[in-house]
Amino acid sequence: MDNHFAQEFSGPLRPDQEAGLLAELGRAKVPAADQQKVLHTLRKDPYGAAVAELIGRGHLRELDKYGKILDMCKQGASRRNPDNSMAPAAYMALSHATELQNRGLTRLGFELDTDAFDLDVYTRNPDGTVGYGYQLKDVNTIKGIKNAAKKAADQLKGGDTSHRVAILDVHQPMSTLSPKAFADAEYAARRSESTFLLRFEDGAITIPPNGSIFP
């Protein structure tokens, strides 16, 4: 997994991206007022340019619940809630779906939420059942792994899927991973019968080591 790293900040939305972004939002029938909210959020968000690039390409527009990802982009950080932006979650979902698509998968979707489980991205088998179900978490620090892993496990454990996967992007070096944080992630993976991929700034760890991440 040496080729896996936590997603990097791209910088905010650039002026030259706005026309393409608005065109795609219009194509998706996002109301004009909500389009302006998306612009406002992405102009300030450290992931704004990356989110705009993926939306502007339009390659994911036919996926189920794509509109929910666009809706996420309206919610930005505020002074009262500086960590409240949904742009990181949108970027993780868009980029992971893009990776799956690049691997040749076409039966994909976003935001599958049932009484049993909650998936950010998923694949479907030929018979229509869910194949790989993913929970994606953006984690600022090593200390944040425990809560993120627990939440991902809770959202995955009831899933009637072939494979359950949690991907945690941790914005610190892998060398700072503590035995306690690793044990927390290991426990969450075990109790939810899932594979956990912890991506750091300089590498990644898969739990269990032979766990499957992609179909």
Side-chain angles (χ1 to χ4, degrees):
M1 289 298 175
D2 291 340
N3 60 329
H4 287 283
F5 302 96
Q7 59 189 8
E8 297 181 353
F9 298 130
S10 63
L13 172 70
R14 302 188 309 271
D16 64 286
Q17 293 180 297
E18 293 191 7
L21 175 62
L22 287 172
E24 185 62 23
L25 294 174
R27 189 176 287 110
K29 295 182 168 48
V30 175
D34 287 345
Q35 292 184 33
Q36 292 304 309
K37 290 179 181 177
V38 172
L39 286 179
H40 180 76
T41 293
L42 298 186
R43 282 169 178 161
K44 295 183 176 183
D45 199 275
Y47 290 112
V51 172
E53 192 275 328
L54 289 171
I55 292 174
R57 285 167 57 180
H59 60 298
L60 302 172
R61 68 170 70 112
E62 301 302 324
L63 270 59
D64 288 344
K65 303 293 180 65
Y66 178 62
K68 283 199 170 186
I69 303 299
L70 300 181
D71 197 54
M72 281 184 189
C73 298
K74 296 187 301 182
Q75 183 174 324
S78 65
R79 288 183 180 179
R80 181 174 295 180
N81 295 297
D83 298 323
N84 207 37
S85 177
M86 291 298 292
Y91 179 45
M92 284 193 79
L94 291 165
S95 59
H96 190 64
T98 298
E99 171 136 11
L100 290 167
Q101 198 177 73
N102 289 342
R103 289 170 176 264
L105 295 156
T106 57
R107 297 171 61 85
L108 309 172
F110 296 109
E111 296 295 310
L112 183 60
D113 191 357
T114 74
D115 291 338
F117 59 90
D118 178 1
L119 306 176
D120 293 326
V121 177
Y122 63 91
T123 70
R124 286 201 183 276
N125 298 316
D127 64 0
T129 59
V130 177
Y132 277 66
Y134 297 91
Q135 257 298 322
L136 311 172
K137 303 293 182 189
D138 193 69
V139 186
N140 288 326
T141 66
I142 297 296
K143 288 183 178 180
I145 290 175
K146 179 178 181 179
N147 286 340
K150 180 183 183 303
K151 187 173 182 182
D154 289 342
Q155 291 169 308
L156 289 169
K157 66 180 181 180
D160 184 16
T161 65
S162 302
H163 293 81
R164 293 184 285 274
V165 182
I167 300 177
L168 277 60
D169 275 0
V170 186
H171 298 282
Q172 288 193 296
M174 190 161 55
S175 61
T176 62
L177 177 65
S178 65
K180 173 69 165 59
F182 178 83
D184 289 334
E186 192 174 42
Y187 173 71
R190 186 169 61 251
R191 78 176 178 86
S192 60
E193 298 181 331
S194 304
T195 297
F196 273 50
L197 174 63
L198 276 59
R199 301 192 301 203
F200 299 88
E201 294 174 341
D202 54 354
I205 295 174
T206 304
I207 306 171
N210 61 345
S212 179
I213 305 297
F214 296 102

